[in-house]
Each structure stands twice: as C-alpha cells, then as structure tokens.
Amino acid sequence: MRSKWVYVIGGAVAVLVIGLVVAGVRGGSESAPRPQGVQAGPSTPNPPETHPTQGEYVPPRPVPTPSATRAPRRVRPSESGPAGRPERRARRECPRRWNEVPFLKRWCERNGYRTR
C-alpha cells in the first residue's frame, strides 16, 4: 500500500517539474529584452486586401473551352456487329429460387438479369 502512494506522489512531482520547465521555456523567449535598434516586423507595409465590396462588379472566371482538335472515337471491327453497330450482350437469367426472395429479385433487375 505504501509503494502505491510513493508512485502517486512521484508522478505528481514529475508532472509539476515538467510543467515548470515548459512554462520557463515558453516564457523565457518572450520576456527576453530586445535591443532598441532592431525592428521586429517587416519594413514594408502589407498591401491592402483587394476583395470586392458590396456593389462592385466582379467578372466571372473564364471557362476553358474544349479543343476541337480531338479525333472522334473509332469503333473497332471486333466490337461491332453487322452494319457497324455494337453487338448486344445476351441478358443472363437470374439464378433459380432468387425470384422468390424480394431483395435478390431486385438485385437481379438492377444488374441486368432477366427475372421470370
């Protein structure tokens, strides 16, 4: 029981010492006196903000136009069927007994499967 109190008091002292060290490091750099001839900030003033105020017209940003130099997409001969039309894939049928379960039937309908 006594060793438990030793650890508690030792931990509290360690936290106190660490807090004092951190406060000393922080406060030491700010409270140090500065020489009179050295300026703290930049020598040039900051430019005023150029945000529009109410009532000023702000033109919209230009929207880039798509270039017309792009070639049209060609259909490969292997992808196309008769008369250059793409072949239609045969619709598969939903697995048996899935039509009896409502959420599985809706899944089949959403994903292009035929339902009975």
Side-chain angles (χ1 to χ4, degrees), residues 25-100:
V25 170
R26 279 189 172 175
S29 64
E30 292 176 3
S31 64
R34 291 188 179 180
Q36 293 292 332
V38 178
Q39 291 182 349
S43 61
T44 59
N46 292 336
E49 293 186 24
T50 58
H51 299 293
T53 59
Q54 187 172 355
E56 290 184 21
Y57 173 72
V58 179
R61 292 188 176 133
V63 178
T65 57
S67 62
T69 60
R70 199 170 188 186
R73 184 173 173 250
R74 291 185 180 178
V75 178
R76 295 183 189 148
S78 61
E79 291 180 15
S80 61
R85 293 190 196 134
E87 295 179 11
R88 297 186 85 187
R89 291 187 356 190
R91 287 183 58 163
R92 294 179 286 181
E93 207 166 297
C94 201
R96 293 182 189 196
R97 312 275 295 182
W98 279 30
N99 290 326
E100 298 171 8

